[in-house]
Amino acid sequence: MTDSIENIGLMIRNERLRKGLTQEELGKRIGVGKAQISKIESGKGLTIKTITKVLDALGMSAS
C-alpha cells in the first residue's frame, strides 16, 4: 500500500513539474502551503479529498 501512495505522490510531482508549477503555486491553487505540497508529493498526508483537489488543480482525473 505504501508503494502505491508514494507512486501517487510521484505522479503528482511529475505533472506539477510538467506544467511548470512550483510547489507554492500548486499550493495556492488548492489552498495549502508549500510544505503541504511537499508532503503530498512524498506520499504523506494523502486523503481522497486532498488527492481530488490536487488532481483538479492539475487538470487530471483519477482514472
Side-chain angles (χ1 to χ4, degrees):
M1 179 80 169
T2 302
D3 288 339
S4 297
I5 291 171
E6 288 173 2
N7 287 340
I8 291 170
L10 183 59
M11 177 195 67
I12 289 169
R13 179 181 185 273
N14 289 340
E15 186 64 16
R16 174 183 60 78
L17 292 173
R18 191 180 77 74
K19 293 193 182 280
L21 295 170
T22 65
Q23 288 180 334
E24 186 173 2
E25 290 168 332
L26 179 56
K28 284 182 182 178
R29 288 186 180 194
I30 66 167
V32 301
K34 177 183 172 184
Q36 184 63 28
I37 297 298
S38 180
K39 287 180 185 177
I40 290 167
E41 291 181 350
S42 66
K44 296 174 178 63
L46 286 174
T47 64
I48 297 296
K49 185 176 180 178
T50 302
I51 293 170
T52 301
K53 283 182 177 182
V54 172
L55 294 179
D56 285 346
L58 291 172
M60 301 173 69
S61 73
S63 60

